Amino acid sequence: MMSAIHQMSAAEALTSLRSAVDGLTSAEAQARQREFGPNQLVRARRRPAVFQLFAQLTHFFALILWAAAALAWLAEYRSPGSGMKALADAIVAVILVNGLFSFWQERRAHKAIIALQRLLPESVRVRRDGQLLEVPSAGLVPGDVIELGEGDHVPADCRLIEAFDVKIDNATLTGESLPQTRIADTESSDEAPAQQRNMVLAGTSVVAGQAAGLVVATGMRTEFGHIAHLTQTAPEAVAPLQHEITRLSRLVAALSILLGVALFVVGRFIGLPFRDNFVFAIGVIVANVPEGLLPTLTLSMAMAAQRMAARQTLTRHLPAVQTLGSATVICTDKTGTLTENRMVARRVFVLDEFRDVAGGLRGEFAVGHRRLFEAAAHCHTLHPGQGADGSPWHGDPMEVALVRMAHGALPGVRELGRVDLKPFSPDRRRMATLHADGEGFVLFVKGALEAILPLCNVCDVAGGGSAVTDALRRTIVQAEAAMASEGLRVLAFAYRTLSALPDREHFEQTLTFAGLVGLHDPPRPEVPSAIARCREAGIKVVMVTGDHPQTGLAVARAIGLAQGQRPRVVTGQELERLSVAQLRFVLDEPELVFARVSAEQKLRIVLAFQQTGAIVAVTGDGVNDAPALKAADIGVAMGISGTDVAREAADVVLLDDNFASIVAAIEEGRGVFDNIRKFTTYVLTSNIPELVPYLTFVLLRIPLPLTIIQVLAVDLGTDMLPGLGLGAERPEPNVMFRPPRTTTQRLIDVPLLARAYLLLGGIEAAAAMTAYAFVLHQGAWHWGMPLHSQSLLYRQATTACLTGIVVAQVANVYACRSETLPVSLRGLLNNRLIVTGVAVELALIATIDYTRWGNAIFGTAAIPWEVWCVPVPFAIALIGFDRLVKGRRRPRARAQIGSPTRPIAPARS
């Protein structure tokens, strides 16, 4: 029906739906409601809150921790009093606290989204039983006749049967920045429903005029519903960070189990009793699981999300913080994101002279061309009232811009009473208003140049008039073409002075041409610098808009997105004809603009970029953007102008609708990836000094240098706040001069593991074991001598081992602040959270070492001050050796900061 009803006359359309101009009867409407259902979108069911919480407690890394807790409980069962129960309880607490925090973070972001305004109206004026009634929009059915006025949202897809100077804002569905004229006449074209001049679609709004529409589709059968369905069924991308965490979980599980089994075999080989050997193997497995990594990771992303919120970016899902930093391609909408989403008069042409509106219209020029500005001030259908942009006029944004220009040029512009109006129509392509002017009248005409210039025989010039010759016509037409090439919407103005009230049918004759005015939706002033930063960062920016190709290209040039002589512009019709291989080659173009694209086509563009290996961020505000937002690796919706459908589909919401905020968020996201590597290195490093004591216990048959509860003191106590400090590091200065990380670059790679386990961890293990041996030597212990676990010497020795780890970790947190820069260049006091964390870490270990309750809980005892000096040389050595390694890596790191022309998206592995 939708494909043919626009080609029917109004009477035929009514007949085809068994309706009439007066609408349906209430009984018929109820019958159709039962048949077609309510006029509502069927929303995809959200997972119940309990399932969302369950998901936070059962992801892969959480399962690893659950397994570690189960093993610890089993070990406690086999060997009561070993301390494994406390470890198991602590791990479970970590899982629960982390899961609850992540659940709360996502629920809070979701509530912020649903608090934003809804798009479809709650009630509508409908003709039923010969009366005009106001009914809930959900009660509309096909065949209803509704009335629409200025400011109304369209509740269903309608074929107009009456239209009076109607203009529709289609931006939410098509991305067009200018209001579109709608008529009630029959259309013969085969274009999409949104382009049919006698159709208005659900989700759009009436900018000007009055209309009556025949409802032809409701609910999910509307174009709005079709896009909503496409959004709900679009594939949802998995965040790269989730892949990396799963990979890390598998790696940790494999290493832990492999090491535990290997040492169990060694223990059996050297004759260790089965029960002791079993408990020992479990202890090794659990010790190798970084219990503190999960809460540190979650809190780090949450802190980054808070920093992004301060920069006008709301994060709905925590992994989206890092995903945005991985983006290699940004597919951005134009209207409202790159531009200000408001019409502004930019340039004026009057007989061989162009003038920019900003600062160039006042004084003699404005007075000399007074009639042009009077025409702009009076030839409109605006109404007094608060406009959407705060102006005192309500109506078509383009007419508001013209009136504002006129009042700016002539602050004392005369108020002329309107006598008559001939409204704009697509056939005439112009409008006219007649006003009383002293003892006579003045007629103002506004519209397309080709509709006005043939009616003009005089051209207005300062101080008089000039006959319109063929040469002058060519000059005016060339001026219009020059303004249109800049992406301006060009309107012509003319006037006629009359001594008596003219015949209405013939008063648009012998006009005087007043001039041309070019309008546009101006680019946001901060966007060009943001585009430049994207180039420096190796991120490809592609404009994907529903607007006219010429308009899109003009904006692309204005913001620096298109700098070459021949940027590639692809329309939706061209895109429809491209094969998969042809589209792949198009995506390789360095400067690319897609225009007049539909929702399906935008989704196709996103999926095609992803198939090249790109990490794609998509911005959008309209219903037509929602499918692409959901399918993208990172969907970015607009918080002010964005529709509810778009915000629901997105991962991130821009609170200020500003493209520059995306670039700031990308910087934060890149910093998050770096920070995760930093605190992962920091956390994994302590695994080695926690593991080595178990190895020496079994292999060298010495008293266990570090107890289970002391391992917990490090993982969930002293390490936590410094680790958070690393997670809160500001992005490094060169982060936006680096290319995006490739899809083959892992969060946890061999260099990171080698640095954590072999270099930093090895030095820390040496520091801890040396401090342990120092205390045993001072206590005259020798190898083979039994040492009871409650003896003072044993407790002092394990305290020395624990203290050695903590002292070394103080040096390690500063070493981990950068993978390439030494401590001297990163500074010691410029991260207050790290400084606070180190202070708390030292205070905590002092409390564990020297207080009665600390000794009781952790099995420690006070140690002499000289024991603290033992690990200090190792901490200094850790800084020194790490500096040497970084010195060798720095030239390679500098080489990675290459030209912005490098390949954008290597193939996925």
Side-chain angles (χ1 to χ4, degrees):
M1 183 180 299
M2 280 291 292
S3 61
I5 201 165
H6 65 275
Q7 297 174 341
M8 300 178 183
S9 66
E12 290 171 337
L14 288 165
T15 301
S16 69
L17 288 173
R18 298 180 184 178
S19 186
V21 174
D22 291 336
L24 303 172
T25 65
S26 296
E28 178 63 19
Q30 291 175 2
R32 295 190 184 194
Q33 182 94 75
R34 289 191 294 270
E35 179 181 354
F36 293 100
N39 178 37
Q40 293 176 334
L41 297 182
V42 179
R43 294 182 177 272
R45 290 186 61 189
R46 294 186 60 85
R47 287 186 304 171
V50 65
F51 290 148
Q52 294 180 38
L53 177 59
F54 182 75
Q56 297 292 346
L57 299 176
T58 56
H59 56 78
F60 199 86
F61 199 90
L63 293 177
I64 296 297
L65 293 179
W66 281 117
L71 287 174
W73 275 320
L74 179 60
E76 180 70 22
Y77 173 76
R78 296 297 301 269
S79 181
S82 62
M84 285 292 188
K85 183 179 183 302
L87 177 59
D89 293 344
I91 293 174
V92 170
V94 166
I95 299 171
L96 293 177
V97 170
N98 184 79
L100 287 169
F101 179 81
S102 299
F103 170 74
W104 170 78
Q105 181 77 12
E106 290 200 8
R107 294 290 292 181
R108 185 180 67 166
H110 174 63
K111 288 180 180 179
I113 296 299
I114 63 177
L116 297 170
Q117 64 183 17
R118 300 291 173 177
L119 186 63
L120 293 179
E122 294 183 358
S123 61
V124 63
R125 299 183 301 279
V126 60
R127 298 175 184 175
R128 283 187 186 165
D129 299 321
Q131 301 178 14
L132 184 62
L133 307 175
E134 187 160 317
V135 302
S137 61
L140 287 181
V141 296
D144 265 328
V145 176
I146 63 173
E147 293 191 1
L148 297 169
E150 184 178 307
D152 288 343
H153 288 291
V154 180
D157 289 356
C158 300
R159 162 52 162 104
L160 294 185
I161 59 174
E162 300 170 9
F164 305 96
D165 199 22
V166 176
K167 292 186 178 180
I168 297 292
D169 182 359
N170 275 339
T172 56
L173 284 179
T174 66
E176 294 168 302
S177 56
L178 293 175
Q180 305 298 307
T181 300
R182 288 295 179 260
I183 59 177
D185 299 340
T186 303
E187 286 282 281
S188 58
S189 70
D190 293 322
E191 292 183 341
Q195 306 302 328
Q196 301 297 338
R197 295 190 302 170
N198 58 10
M199 300 292 299
V200 293
L201 304 182
T204 61
S205 58
V206 181
V207 174
Q210 303 288 325
L214 171 67
V215 175
V216 299
T218 58
M220 295 300 287
R221 298 176 183 86
T222 62
E223 286 295 305
F224 192 98
H226 170 67
I227 295 174
H229 173 72
L230 194 63
T231 303
Q232 294 166 6
T233 57
E236 191 163 0
V238 179
L241 183 61
Q242 292 173 313
H243 286 300
E244 291 299 318
I245 292 174
T246 300
R247 180 175 174 272
L248 172 62
S249 305
R250 290 171 179 164
L251 180 64
V252 167
L255 287 176
S256 301
I257 294 172
L258 181 64
L259 193 57
V261 170
L263 292 177
F264 180 80
V265 172
V266 170
R268 294 295 292 167
F269 180 76
I270 63 176
L272 200 66
F274 178 83
R275 188 180 73 173
D276 294 344
N277 195 23
F278 179 75
V279 173
F280 159 71
I282 290 177
V284 168
I285 292 173
V286 175
N288 205 46
V289 174
E291 295 88 356
L293 183 59
L294 186 60
T296 305
L297 176 68
T298 303
L299 290 171
S300 174
M301 288 191 294
M303 293 168 70
Q306 287 184 337
R307 292 198 303 272
M308 289 170 68
R311 301 175 81 166
Q312 302 300 312
T313 307
L314 175 67
T315 305
R316 297 190 63 204
H317 310 293
L318 286 182
V321 174
Q322 188 273 326
T323 307
L324 194 54
S326 305
T328 58
V329 173
I330 300 175
C331 294
T332 178
D333 194 17
K334 176 185 70 68
T335 305
T337 307
L338 301 176
T339 65
E340 296 181 2
N341 195 22
R342 64 184 182 92
M343 294 306 296
V344 173
R346 178 184 171 191
R347 185 166 295 180
V348 170
F349 171 80
V350 288
L351 197 58
D352 288 338
E353 183 178 7
F354 284 102
R355 282 290 184 102
D356 287 332
V357 172
L361 300 184
R362 289 198 176 192
E364 292 183 6
F365 178 85
V367 174
H369 298 280
R370 174 174 57 87
R371 287 299 191 186
L372 170 64
F373 299 109
E374 287 181 345
H378 291 93
C379 190
H380 59 74
T381 57
L382 299 176
H383 305 292
Q386 186 71 21
D389 61 351
S391 66
W393 307 286
H394 187 74
D396 187 340
M398 189 163 57
E399 293 187 332
V400 172
L402 291 169
V403 173
R404 184 184 288 112
M405 175 200 72
H407 283 267
L410 292 174
V413 63
R414 297 182 302 161
E415 290 295 332
L416 304 176
R418 181 183 296 175
V419 176
D420 199 357
L421 164 71
K422 289 189 75 170
F424 178 90
S425 73
D427 295 328
R428 297 174 61 248
R429 302 191 66 190
R430 63 183 182 271
M431 69 172 292
T433 56
L434 184 67
H435 302 265
D437 185 10
E439 296 182 357
F441 301 90
V442 60
L443 175 75
F444 295 125
V445 185
K446 174 182 72 178
L449 178 65
E450 55 267 35
I452 291 179
L453 190 56
L455 305 176
C456 299
N457 61 357
V458 176
C459 181
D460 196 20
V461 294
S466 175
V468 177
T469 63
D470 290 341
L472 189 55
R473 291 179 193 276
R474 286 194 296 271
T475 299
I476 295 172
V477 170
Q478 290 170 358
E480 184 212 27
M483 295 169 77
S485 68
E486 300 176 15
L488 302 182
R489 174 72 179 271
V490 183
L491 292 176
F493 289 85
Y495 69 94
R496 179 186 180 189
T497 56
L498 301 157
S499 57
L501 197 64
D503 176 9
R504 191 173 189 275
E505 294 300 318
H506 301 97
F507 65 20
E508 292 176 318
Q509 296 177 357
T510 62
L511 302 178
T512 299
F513 179 78
L516 301 174
V517 178
L519 302 98
H520 73 148
D521 180 7
R524 290 179 178 268
E526 57 277 350
V527 166
S529 61
I531 295 290
R533 293 192 71 195
C534 286
R535 289 184 184 276
E536 293 171 346
I539 301 170
K540 183 172 186 174
V541 181
V542 177
M543 183 190 294
V544 184
T545 179
D547 217 333
H548 192 279
Q550 201 170 39
T551 305
L553 180 58
V555 172
R557 290 195 182 281
I559 62 177
L561 192 152
Q563 297 178 328
Q565 294 297 317
R566 300 184 64 185
R568 185 66 185 272
V569 180
V570 181
T571 65
Q573 289 182 336
E574 293 176 60
L575 180 61
E576 200 70 38
R577 296 192 295 267
L578 293 178
S579 67
V580 173
Q582 289 172 322
L583 179 56
R584 182 74 174 261
F585 287 119
V586 168
L587 298 184
D588 290 336
E589 294 285 345
E591 297 177 344
L592 188 56
V593 173
F594 289 97
R596 290 288 195 218
V597 295
S598 65
E600 292 94 336
Q601 291 169 337
K602 189 166 187 177
L603 176 61
R604 183 188 176 195
I605 293 167
V606 171
L607 296 177
F609 266 122
Q610 289 175 328
Q611 288 167 4
T612 70
I615 303 296
V616 185
V618 172
T619 74
D621 57 0
V623 177
N624 61 319
D625 299 316
L629 288 170
K630 184 179 178 184
D633 296 285
I634 183 78
V636 183
M638 304 298 113
I640 299 173
S641 63
T643 62
D644 178 61
V645 176
R647 289 189 291 262
E648 286 287 345
D651 305 289
V652 168
V653 176
L654 297 184
L655 301 179
D656 60 355
D657 290 11
N658 195 333
F659 182 84
S661 297
I662 303 174
V663 181
I666 288 175
E667 182 179 10
E668 288 288 352
R670 289 191 174 190
V672 166
F673 182 81
D674 291 346
N675 290 349
I676 292 174
R677 285 179 60 87
K678 292 172 187 177
F679 69 66
T680 300
T681 303
Y682 174 76
V683 171
L684 292 181
T685 296
S686 63
N687 279 7
I688 299 302
E690 293 170 356
L691 181 62
V692 167
Y694 279 90
L695 298 179
T696 57
F697 168 64
V698 173
L699 300 179
L700 301 182
R701 310 302 296 269
I702 63 174
L704 182 63
L706 194 69
T707 66
I708 292 295
I709 195 69
Q710 290 168 352
V711 170
L712 277 181
V714 175
D715 289 351
L716 301 177
T718 59
D719 271 3
M720 288 295 292
L721 201 53
L724 280 178
L726 289 173
E729 285 271 51
R730 296 288 180 183
E732 294 186 15
N734 68 343
V735 71
M736 291 300 283
F737 293 94
R738 303 195 312 237
R741 72 179 186 90
T742 66
T743 52
T744 57
Q745 182 181 349
R746 300 300 184 189
L747 179 66
I748 308 298
D749 53 19
V750 172
L752 185 147
L753 292 174
R755 182 179 178 222
Y757 284 157
L758 301 181
L759 176 64
L760 304 176
I763 295 174
E764 286 197 10
M769 293 307 298
T770 301
Y772 175 75
F774 176 80
V775 171
L776 289 182
H777 177 72
Q778 291 293 101
W781 180 88
H782 59 82
W783 188 76
M785 178 185 296
L787 197 61
H788 193 274
S789 62
Q790 295 301 317
S791 68
L792 177 62
L793 179 60
Y794 176 74
R795 288 187 292 116
Q796 285 182 322
T798 58
T799 303
C801 183
L802 173 62
T803 303
I805 294 174
V806 173
V807 170
Q809 280 288 79
V810 170
N812 186 34
V813 73
Y814 284 102
C816 289
R817 289 192 65 192
S818 174
E819 294 188 56
T820 57
L821 299 177
V823 173
S824 58
L825 293 181
R826 286 294 286 165
L828 296 176
L829 304 177
N830 51 7
N831 184 325
R832 286 185 293 179
L833 191 53
I834 286 182
V835 173
T836 302
V838 168
V840 171
E841 182 177 26
L842 293 175
L844 186 57
I845 190 62
T847 301
I848 292 172
D849 289 358
Y850 297 108
T851 64
R852 182 176 302 172
W853 65 267
N855 295 163
I857 294 174
F858 295 97
T860 55
I863 54 176
W865 67 267
E866 59 265 22
V867 176
W868 284 76
C869 298
V870 174
V872 171
F874 292 92
I876 296 172
L878 185 149
I879 296 290
F881 279 110
D882 188 62
R883 181 190 179 99
L884 291 175
V885 172
K886 287 176 179 176
R888 297 182 62 183
R889 292 185 61 188
R890 235 180 353 263
R892 293 198 297 271
R894 289 195 194 100
Q896 292 174 357
I897 305 174
S899 167
T901 59
R902 59 190 160 273
I904 295 297
R908 289 186 188 272
S909 60

